[in-house]
Amino acid sequence: MRHAICALLPLLLAAGCGDSTQSIDGTPDAGAGQVESLPVDETIVEATLASDVHVVRDEWGIPHIYASSTEDAAFANGFVMAADRLAQMELGRRTGSGTLAEFAGTLVNPDDLPKLLARDLTMRMHGWRRHAEATYALLRASEDAVDSKLVRTLERYSDGVNAYLALLRSGERAVPDVIARFIYPDLVTDWSPVDSLVFGYLMAFGLSYDDFALIVEDVVDAALATFDGADADEAPELAARAGFVADVLRFEGADPFSTIDGFPNVAKDSGTRAGVRRGGAPSAKRPAVSRRLLRNVREFLGPPHLPALGRTGSNNWIVSAAKSETGHPLLANDPHLSLDNPATFYVVHVDLTGEEGGPNVAGVAFPGVPGVVLGHNAHVAWGATVVGHDVTDFYRETFVPCDGAGPGDGECVLFDGKPVPIETRQETLRIGALGAIIDERTYTLESVPHHGPIIPEMVDGEIQPRSGNEALSVRYTGHVPTPLPKAFWLANRAHDAAEVADAFQFFDVGGQNIVIIDAESIRWTTHVNVPVLPAQAKTFHSATNPTGIAPFLVLPGTGEAEWQGWLDDRYLPHAIDPAEGFLVTANQDPLGATRDNDPLNGPEVNGNPLYVGYAYDAGFRGGRIEKRLAAYADDGGVSFEEMAEVQADATSNLGERVRPFVLDAVASAGGDDARLAEAAALLEAWTLDTPAAVEGSPSDAEIADSAATSIFNVFLAFFVPAVFQDEIDALELSDDEDDPFVMEDQVLVRALTFLLERPDETVSAPDPETGDPIFFDDLTTAGEHESQGAVIVASLVRALDWLASDEGFGTDEMSAWRWGGLHRLKLDSIIPEESLDLPPPGAPAELRGGYPRHGDNFSVDASHPGMQDFDFTYGHGPSQRLVVEMTPDGPRSQTVIPGGETYDPNSPHFADQIEPWRANQAVPIRFTEADVVAGAEWHVRFTATK
């Protein structure tokens, strides 16, 4: 289910609130501050405020909140966010709480209801609301002064949200008509601090939880049985593919770029740490997991969560003063998340300098959570990308008789040779729409005390009780109370980079590459809880021991592969003021630990190999960014403007690697096919830029590049399946022919570049007739032996046919094959209402079907359309672009989000940032009071008395 969003007032911050809040006509304030001296457009009386709060909207609708206390600022923050994004907040807390079916159960297609119920039950299985309630209870019971302040911040933020809700319920304000069909204020319950914590857990879950291990397990087991286990006499075509696991399921990046080279502090302890911490065994075989169980569990879970494999991602980098053109450190950050309307992030500025020690902080927030999550204050700036630490493990549980170990008729699992009773609880899911409940279903959820929840099974679209004596449980670092907002509360108030790094000691789950700059230094940390497993759980090797155990495969639940605490901070990937003068992260392997295709053979500490993860981005984005920064640094230093230029880089990184093989194949094929010759000429002349070239007046060079981009990407859509689909089909990995999640592009691009560039290193034997890797041969054409070159040429011919057909551009004229005609972005409304989509219905003809976009698979300016089908649109990319220069006099910064601040189509700020966003431009962040006043569009005063 997509993110949530909604209701805002046009520009206003709106009026009265129940008995204690009322609106009166405002008059200019008399005061020493510049903001207070602005004419007041609206006054809101709120009896619980300690002092006046001023909220100024600038020309982009961004709220700038000025308050004398954290609590008062939090109230205004909650009010403003609810006014702008209530629907997003409502759907977000429902998603995390597992109550979407009662909101939309009868609105979805009946065939989709089981998936919606499974989604809700998954959230209940993980227990985000239970963990949020436990976290809130711990914070309230804490005697720590910061915890007490955080509790009051959450409470006052909730008060602000509820003050706005009271206006809606009283009729003094109204939800926009088009949204009112889905959001009824009387049915929206009051917001609570637990709701904000639920949203935090949900975001962390989406950025770190990884169940791709279940597909890895399925692929490995199926490949070993189908190919390695095939009889060479009876099934020679299958037996020839023995080695599929090593040759196709690869771990090394297609680009070997890494942020640093190797684990820190191994040979010599430099004393650095990723943050402040709170707090050789015998080999064994991997447990046998039935295909039935794997399929049923995968059907229940739906598409895998792959935060590090490309469905979400991000770029960020930092540049030291020594490598900066101005001599001041620089930071760039663009998180790649789902592109919906409204945007995932919300831009906000909170000035608390009127409070002793209070921060002046600006950036983006998650609607539903107070404060800034990515941005800067007056002293320090920080950004984040997904790091890909492996923090999720799956265990194969074996059920045995309890023999008196458990109470009554309870069931037990085998652990350390003894039966251990499982725990059960009932969860009731209500089904309805917009408050009208028509049905409910109750399910029994089971949990293994020492591991975690048992994953339910789904068969033919129905959630089924567990059957048989085996099950899969999941252990995830987020299954405990943890004060995630505390990290950001402290970061907002940090005075230097070290304090931001230390703040993330409370970011136990949701692992990120946190890059940080202050006026003098740059720093990177990936501080998060990473479980340590024993050496005997790291025996898998794709070539030499594919039946071994690995953290990224299903582990035995009987006691041999248990967590042994957290990885020491000294070994977690991090760096402080690196000698190179800049540092890049883009979801790739941060250490180069997978460069030899083995993520498990890290340096040993006390006989146990260090390990942090296995599933990373292919490395193209990080490698490209590093090359550009190095060139700028050598040419007078990196400038603020060049940081933004790199964010807009749309070079076809994969095109650069694959094009030589296409040109060689066409040249070797010979012949007099004029179309092939023309296409080859376009590809050879291609600058590797990927312009959309459908708007304005593109140059001849841009048109040629655009046509080449179209040819290459349509070729890929034929070529990649031609190489791998026959083997994937033979593995029978999914009963669903339309399942697009069986083999990810990030997996296949690793295999593709390996087979093309390093054929002599394959474990599988080459094709005996062609000498090429066996995977270029088609399994379905028995007796024939397709060569690499033949597959390339055939794929290119099919691409040219498709491009000229009505499915493509309907013409043989290649100059008409503009990439923007295929490669488009549509920001769908999270509420099923077309008028809220971007671009909206009635947009100019060139925008129908979506905004034409540059970029392609694995570009820095993320716009990944995929390599395995003919839908070249995309839906994930930069959910914010941020650039900051930190000077001794304060920050210079700019940002942009894809859409607007508000979710009201009647507001000028509903979509006013989409045009600068898609033009790769940004909005300067007004940070000083004088600058805010200069851009003021609307001024609201919150006051305790008239």
Side-chain angles (χ1 to χ4, degrees):
M1 180 63 64
R2 307 185 77 153
H3 296 107
I5 31 191
C6 190
L8 150 91
L9 312 181
L11 299 171
L12 316 63
L13 273 165
C17 225
D19 294 333
S20 63
T21 305
Q22 57 181 308
S23 174
I24 60 174
D25 291 334
T27 56
D29 260 346
Q34 299 176 63
V35 164
E36 290 90 335
S37 299
L38 283 170
V40 177
D41 299 287
E42 185 94 27
T43 297
I44 297 173
V45 178
E46 167 55 48
T48 63
L49 293 172
S51 58
D52 287 359
V53 180
H54 297 267
V55 179
V56 177
R57 297 267 191 179
D58 66 20
E59 69 270 42
W60 298 98
I62 296 169
H64 302 261
I65 301 170
Y66 290 83
S68 298
S69 74
T70 296
E71 294 181 13
D72 286 351
F75 178 91
N77 194 357
F79 191 100
V80 170
M81 271 192 185
D84 286 350
R85 302 285 188 91
L86 178 63
Q88 186 176 22
M89 294 165 63
E90 173 67 4
L91 292 179
R93 68 170 167 176
R94 283 189 174 276
T95 298
S97 300
T99 60
L100 275 175
E102 66 184 50
F103 175 82
T106 59
L107 297 179
V108 301
N109 185 306
D111 292 339
D112 292 330
L113 179 59
K115 297 178 182 177
L116 183 58
L117 292 173
R119 175 77 173 192
D120 274 354
L121 197 58
T122 297
M123 298 297 108
R124 306 279 187 97
M125 176 190 81
H126 288 296
W128 303 138
R129 189 156 199 93
R130 289 185 296 111
H131 296 316
E133 290 168 347
T135 297
Y136 185 52
L138 288 175
L139 287 171
R140 292 190 67 186
S142 173
E143 296 181 0
D144 181 84
V146 172
D147 290 344
S148 298
K149 291 176 181 177
L150 178 59
V151 165
R152 284 299 294 153
T153 299
L154 292 168
E155 290 174 343
R156 290 298 286 157
Y157 176 87
S158 298
D159 290 342
V161 175
N162 295 330
Y164 176 71
L165 280 172
L167 289 179
L168 293 179
R169 293 167 185 153
S170 70
E172 295 179 64
R173 288 292 180 268
V175 176
D177 289 346
V178 69
I179 295 170
R181 299 200 299 268
F182 303 95
I183 299 294
Y184 298 167
D186 289 344
L187 300 178
V188 177
T189 59
D190 278 357
W191 196 265
S192 74
V194 170
D195 293 322
S196 294
L197 294 171
V198 165
F199 206 93
Y201 270 103
L202 181 63
M203 291 298 102
F205 170 77
L207 295 171
S208 64
Y209 176 86
D210 171 16
D211 55 27
F212 191 61
L214 299 178
I215 287 184
V216 177
E217 177 75 42
D218 207 358
V219 170
V220 171
D221 291 350
L224 293 178
T226 304
F227 301 138
D228 296 62
D231 187 290
D233 295 324
E234 295 182 5
E237 294 87 357
L238 296 177
R241 285 155 172 79
F244 176 95
V245 173
D247 293 340
V248 176
L249 193 65
R250 301 191 64 78
F251 301 99
E252 63 175 335
D255 187 313
F257 168 78
S258 63
T259 305
I260 60 175
D261 191 13
F263 283 89
N265 299 312
V266 176
K268 180 182 179 181
D269 188 351
S270 68
T272 66
R273 297 292 185 272
V276 179
R277 174 68 67 197
R278 286 187 290 151
S283 178
K285 271 198 168 184
R286 194 165 66 254
V289 184
S290 71
R291 301 296 293 279
R292 174 200 63 81
L293 177 60
L294 274 173
R295 301 297 167 77
N296 293 350
V297 166
R298 282 183 50 207
E299 185 177 349
F300 171 79
L301 293 174
H305 294 271
L306 291 160
L309 280 177
R311 257 204 280 287
T312 59
S314 308
N315 306 315
N316 64 26
W317 59 94
I318 45 181
V319 178
S320 71
K323 297 293 184 178
S324 165
E325 181 183 63
T326 62
H328 306 309
L330 297 163
L331 175 148
N333 193 74
D334 55 293
H336 304 159
L337 299 170
S338 179
L339 296 175
D340 304 304
N341 189 33
T344 298
F345 289 118
Y346 177 83
V347 187
V348 66
H349 171 209
V350 181
D351 188 325
L352 270 167
T353 52
E355 177 181 66
E356 184 177 354
N360 184 9
V361 59
V364 293
F366 287 124
V369 183
V372 169
V373 296
L374 303 174
H376 65 81
N377 61 29
H379 312 288
V380 62
W382 67 96
T385 71
V386 168
V387 69
H389 291 340
D390 187 354
V391 296
T392 314
D393 287 316
F394 295 87
Y395 290 91
R396 196 265 194 191
E397 306 291 353
T398 302
F399 283 82
V400 295
C402 282
D403 291 334
D409 297 325
E411 296 188 81
C412 289
V413 293
L414 186 64
F415 184 71
D416 283 344
K418 299 176 182 179
V420 176
I422 65 170
E423 301 166 345
T424 62
R425 70 176 188 276
Q426 302 295 309
E427 291 286 352
T428 298
L429 303 184
R430 302 197 303 170
I431 303 169
L434 311 178
I437 305 301
I438 65 167
D439 193 10
E440 62 180 36
R441 300 183 190 179
T442 299
Y443 300 94
T444 299
L445 289 180
E446 302 173 320
S447 183
V448 177
H450 46 276
H451 287 154
I454 290 174
I455 306 171
E457 300 178 40
M458 180 177 275
V459 180
D460 297 328
E462 294 296 330
I463 300 170
Q464 302 285 352
R466 174 178 51 79
S467 60
N469 68 343
E470 65 172 343
L472 293 181
S473 65
V474 56
R475 190 173 190 186
Y476 168 58
T477 55
H479 287 161
V480 293
T482 182
L484 295 173
K486 189 172 181 177
F488 298 107
W489 198 94
L490 290 168
N492 284 194
R493 290 157 174 77
H495 293 85
D496 56 38
E499 287 188 7
V500 174
D502 286 348
F504 280 87
Q505 66 179 290
F506 299 103
F507 203 69
D508 295 329
V509 58
Q512 300 286 290
N513 291 293
I514 305 293
V515 293
I516 316 162
I517 62 171
D518 58 29
E520 298 179 349
S521 66
I522 66 175
R523 181 182 290 245
W524 164 59
T525 181
T526 65
H527 190 279
V528 73
N529 287 343
V530 176
V532 175
L533 275 75
Q536 67 187 27
K538 303 171 187 172
T539 62
F540 172 89
H541 188 280
S542 60
T544 62
N545 190 24
T547 62
I549 301 178
F552 47 80
L553 297 168
V554 175
L555 296 166
T558 46
E560 303 95 319
E562 299 307 299
W563 290 7
Q564 301 180 330
W566 308 128
L567 187 64
D568 192 289
D569 296 310
R570 76 181 69 181
Y571 305 124
L572 284 171
H574 69 279
I576 301 172
D577 293 323
E580 295 81 3
F582 54 84
L583 183 148
V584 177
T585 88
N587 319 118
Q588 83 297 324
D589 179 347
L591 302 166
T594 60
R595 207 171 284 153
D596 62 354
N597 201 42
D598 184 358
L600 300 177
N601 65 343
E604 292 189 4
V605 174
N606 298 324
N608 194 354
L610 294 176
Y611 165 78
V612 287
Y614 74 102
Y616 298 110
D617 181 87
F620 289 114
R621 287 182 286 116
R624 174 68 179 171
I625 295 166
E626 193 273 341
K627 291 181 180 68
R628 290 201 64 175
L629 290 180
Y632 288 138
D634 291 341
D635 186 25
V638 185
S639 70
F640 184 95
E641 291 73 21
E642 287 164 343
M643 298 283 278
E645 287 174 12
V646 176
Q647 288 181 328
D649 190 297
T651 297
S652 179
N653 296 304
L654 184 57
E656 182 177 24
R657 298 281 288 276
V658 174
R659 173 173 60 178
F661 298 96
V662 178
L663 297 178
D664 285 350
V666 173
S668 298
D672 56 0
D673 188 326
R675 288 193 318 160
L676 277 177
E678 184 180 358
L682 278 169
L683 290 173
E684 187 169 21
W686 186 22
T687 69
L688 298 173
D689 191 18
T690 57
V694 296
E695 297 179 277
S697 302
S699 66
D700 290 343
E702 288 172 326
I703 291 170
D705 274 348
S706 191
T709 305
S710 296
I711 292 169
F712 176 71
N713 282 281
V714 177
F715 157 77
L716 276 183
F718 284 106
F719 181 52
V720 172
V723 178
F724 298 112
Q725 194 62 54
D726 50 338
E727 284 84 13
I728 293 172
D729 289 343
L731 297 181
E732 299 179 347
L733 296 173
S734 175
D735 296 328
D736 183 357
E737 293 182 357
D738 297 323
D739 181 5
F741 303 105
V742 170
M743 291 291 280
E744 279 286 314
D745 284 350
Q746 294 281 359
V747 174
L748 295 183
V749 77
R750 287 172 162 81
L752 185 67
T753 52
F754 172 69
L755 296 176
L756 289 172
E757 297 172 348
R758 295 152 57 192
D760 295 340
E761 297 180 26
T762 58
V763 171
S764 56
D767 186 287
E769 291 198 13
T770 67
D772 294 328
I774 191 66
F775 303 104
F776 290 104
D777 177 48
D778 190 344
L779 259 174
T780 65
T781 57
E784 298 182 25
H785 294 264
E786 290 83 4
S787 69
Q788 171 183 304
V791 175
I792 289 174
V793 171
S795 298
L796 183 56
V797 169
R798 295 176 69 190
L800 299 179
D801 289 341
W802 188 92
L803 285 159
S805 73
D806 290 339
E807 288 184 88
F809 292 93
T811 177
D812 290 323
E813 179 56 51
M814 294 186 187
S815 63
W817 297 353
R818 311 288 178 85
W819 180 228
L822 302 174
H823 188 231
R824 290 177 176 262
L825 168 65
K826 183 179 179 183
L827 289 81
D828 292 330
S829 166
I830 57 166
I831 287 176
E833 170 54 55
E834 284 189 357
S835 67
L836 299 175
D837 293 345
L838 296 177
E846 64 270 18
L847 299 184
R848 290 171 194 167
Y851 298 109
R853 292 292 293 146
H854 69 182
D856 67 359
N857 298 295
F858 314 108
S859 293
V860 171
D861 190 6
S863 54
H864 191 97
M867 306 190 299
Q868 303 178 61
D869 59 33
F870 300 95
D871 179 0
F872 298 99
T873 62
Y874 72 103
H876 285 76
S879 52
Q880 175 218 23
R881 296 191 186 99
L882 172 71
V883 178
V884 183
E885 178 183 19
M886 190 58 66
T887 79
D889 298 324
R892 170 194 178 191
S893 59
Q894 63 182 33
T895 194
V896 70
I897 57 175
E901 283 286 274
T902 75
Y903 194 45
D904 178 0
N906 300 313
S907 167
H909 305 304
F910 173 67
D912 54 338
Q913 293 188 53
I914 188 62
E915 289 304 319
W917 180 91
R918 73 187 192 99
N920 289 94
Q921 298 171 353
V923 176
I925 297 177
R926 294 184 179 276
F927 190 67
T928 66
E929 189 169 3
D931 202 20
V932 170
V933 168
E937 185 180 76
W938 193 264
H939 177 203
V940 177
R941 182 183 64 179
F942 289 81
T943 186
T945 58
K946 292 184 180 180

